[in-house]
Structures are given as structure tokens and as C-alpha cells.
Amino acid sequence: MCVGPGCLVLARVVPAMKGPSAAENRHLLGLLEAALVREARLWKVPIFKGGCIQGADISSSQHQDMIVWLGDMNRRFQFCPETFALGVCVLNRLLATVKAQPKYLKCIAFTSLVLAGKINEEDEVLGSVSALVAESGCNFSTAEIVRMERIILDKLQWDLYTATPVDFIHIVSFFCLFVFKTKTV
């Protein structure tokens, strides 16, 4: 059973598509199903009980503040939206997997964004970890970020990529653009 955010996209968009050929619909379904398989395999979110993440002392508001802060950092570093979405997914998967302490939350969030940047961004945009730390205004050392990278990679079994909501938007918008161009030519 599909439970991730991508399922909503699939359930609403595919039946609403009118006009594409059967082959085009099969292609769209193939792309969406591949993304859903990635999402179903890896998608995890922290569970909140009593206002805190289950098994941790991280409150819902602290979690929300970190997401907002990651958005600010993503804009400051001029990263693409895909990097932000993947960074949030990595953060959530880790918080759903381990009992993190609030004092490490900002370091975990920042490192999640750095790891997502290493996947999605060009080297010229990403820059060095030490430059990102300096630009962020955080009090982390490069060694702390590298150590946190190893922890995150270990806990997530080196499999960081999961389908994000942005991936589903790209699939559907690319398909709509393709169908529109082929129908008007």
C-alpha cells in the first residue's frame, strides 16, 4: 500500500490526464511507479507523540524550526529546490531511525543538507564544507560535519536517495510539457 506524498500525485494526476496516447500514459505511469517504488522503500518520517519525536526530546516546533532554517540555508547557498527536498527527507529518515538529542539537531539538519548538496549540486555551487559552515554562521567544525556525515550514512546504509515531492512534480510537469508539445506540433 502506498503511503508517501507521491501517492497523492499519482492518484490525482493520472486519472485527470486527458488526451495523451496509451503509450504516453504507460510512460508516465512507468516513471511515477519507479519513483513510488523508491519512495515506498525508503520514505520515513518521525513519529510525534506527546508533542515530541518518539524516542527523542525533539519537539514538533524544534523540528519545524529546523525545516524552516534548512530552507533559509538552501536559499543562502543558492541550492536548487531538489537539494532542500532531499535534505529534509534525509533529516526525517534519520530522525525516524535514531534517538537524536536536541543539542545535535542543528548539526544533523545542516549535515543532511550538505549531503543532499553533494548529490544534487555542481561542485562550483556546493563549494567546500568549511566554506558552507562559515557561511551558515553555525558553530560547527568541519570535523564535526564530516563525523556527522559518517553517522548519517551509516544509519541510512549509504542509501540517501529517496523520491521527494519535487521528483513527482518534475515527472508530471515534464510529461505535461511533452504531451503539450506533441499535440501542438
Side-chain angles (χ1 to χ4, degrees):
M1 179 177 187
C2 185
V3 295
C7 295
L8 295 174
V9 172
L10 184 61
R12 289 187 178 144
V13 171
V14 173
M17 298 295 292
K18 300 227 189 300
S21 70
E24 291 165 338
N25 277 333
R26 280 193 302 277
H27 182 66
L28 172 63
L29 284 174
L31 292 172
L32 288 171
E33 286 173 353
L36 286 171
V37 166
R38 285 192 314 269
E39 178 185 63
R41 184 172 51 89
L42 297 173
W43 189 69
K44 290 182 183 177
V45 293
I47 297 170
F48 290 90
K49 286 193 175 177
C52 289
I53 294 176
Q54 185 175 337
D57 291 329
I58 297 170
S59 71
S60 172
S61 64
Q62 288 172 313
H63 179 258
Q64 290 173 355
D65 290 345
M66 276 305 103
I67 303 299
V68 170
W69 181 76
L70 280 179
D72 293 342
M73 290 298 101
N74 197 73
R75 282 186 294 282
R76 178 178 287 177
F77 301 149
Q78 298 181 350
F79 288 168
C80 63
E82 293 83 357
T83 299
F84 171 71
L86 185 56
V88 171
C89 285
V90 169
L91 172 65
N92 284 337
R93 284 180 55 212
L94 186 73
L95 293 177
T97 305
V98 301
K99 295 180 180 180
Q101 296 179 20
K103 66 181 179 180
Y104 298 118
L105 183 58
K106 197 169 214 175
C107 185
I108 293 168
F110 183 79
T111 306
S112 297
L113 186 64
V114 169
L115 286 168
K118 287 182 175 184
I119 292 170
N120 286 330
E121 300 295 336
E122 297 292 330
D123 291 340
E124 300 79 31
V125 174
L126 183 62
S128 70
V129 172
S130 58
L132 293 174
V133 169
E135 190 174 339
S136 73
C138 294
N139 294 326
F140 311 128
S141 69
T142 302
E144 288 172 310
I145 300 301
V146 170
R147 188 173 37 140
M148 187 60 73
E149 282 181 342
R150 284 190 216 122
I151 291 168
I152 292 171
L153 289 168
D154 180 53
K155 295 298 181 186
L156 300 182
Q157 301 169 342
W158 286 77
D159 195 356
L160 296 183
Y161 184 73
T162 184
T164 68
V166 176
D167 293 324
F168 290 98
I169 291 169
H170 282 295
I171 291 168
V172 172
S173 62
F174 175 77
F175 180 75
C176 291
L177 181 64
F178 172 77
V179 169
F180 178 75
K181 281 186 175 182
T182 59
K183 298 295 181 191
T184 59
V185 173

